[in-house]
Amino acid sequence: QVQLVESGGGLVQAGDSLRVSCATSERTFSAYNLGWFRRPPGKEREFVGAISWNGLNTFYADSLKGRFTISRDNAKKTVYLEMNSLNPEDTAVYYCAAMRSVGSMWLPRDVRRYDYWGQGTQVTVSS
């Protein structure tokens, strides 16, 4: 069982930047592709972006491309989501998720493809 713990959420103002993190103690962290998802108030969970096990491939939701950046540090067993130019529509609970890569850099958008999930961190953007 891979345990993922998100942190770094909070209350920010429109136009601000924020970085949220997701860490684990899992020994084989570098074998997992990782995704970020979010659940806005009253809506379904949606795909934000993902990064391959080696960091060489990233994939983002079209609407977020250019504002959000995902990176990872396998030595620290942490994945990051950098969010810029935040607006109130970005208010959501943000989740990280892990998927066994088996050496693949395939990054699915489907929540069902991911094996493990964190508990989420709340990001609130005020106008």
Side-chain angles (χ1 to χ4, degrees):
Q1 186 77 10
V2 176
Q3 293 187 328
L4 303 168
V5 180
E6 299 94 337
S7 62
L11 174 63
V12 297
Q13 293 188 336
D16 284 353
S17 297
L18 187 68
R19 188 178 78 166
V20 294
S21 304
C22 174
T24 182
S25 60
E26 170 61 34
R27 180 178 57 83
T28 59
F29 175 77
S30 61
Y32 289 82
N33 293 335
L34 301 167
W36 282 98
F37 293 78
R38 67 184 185 182
R39 187 192 297 274
K43 296 184 180 180
E44 296 294 316
R45 193 173 303 194
E46 61 186 32
F47 177 75
V48 172
I51 188 167
S52 61
W53 60 275
N54 54 8
L56 294 181
N57 188 28
T58 54
F59 176 55
Y60 298 94
D62 287 343
S63 61
L64 302 176
K65 204 176 299 183
R67 286 199 303 125
F68 287 19
T69 303
I70 297 173
S71 60
R72 66 188 294 165
D73 186 333
N74 284 344
K76 294 182 178 179
K77 300 179 182 178
T78 302
V79 60
Y80 305 98
L81 174 64
E82 180 80 33
M83 301 178 285
N84 297 312
S85 301
L86 286 162
N87 59 67
E89 289 68 42
D90 296 314
T91 294
V93 178
Y94 285 74
Y95 301 89
C96 67
M99 179 185 75
R100 297 181 187 87
S101 71
V102 202
S104 168
M105 293 194 290
W106 176 52
L107 301 174
R109 306 168 60 98
D110 190 342
V111 299
R112 295 169 295 180
R113 297 291 185 176
Y114 291 82
D115 303 302
Y116 304 103
W117 292 81
Q119 82 290 346
T121 186
Q122 175 71 47
V123 174
T124 303
V125 185
S126 64
S127 58

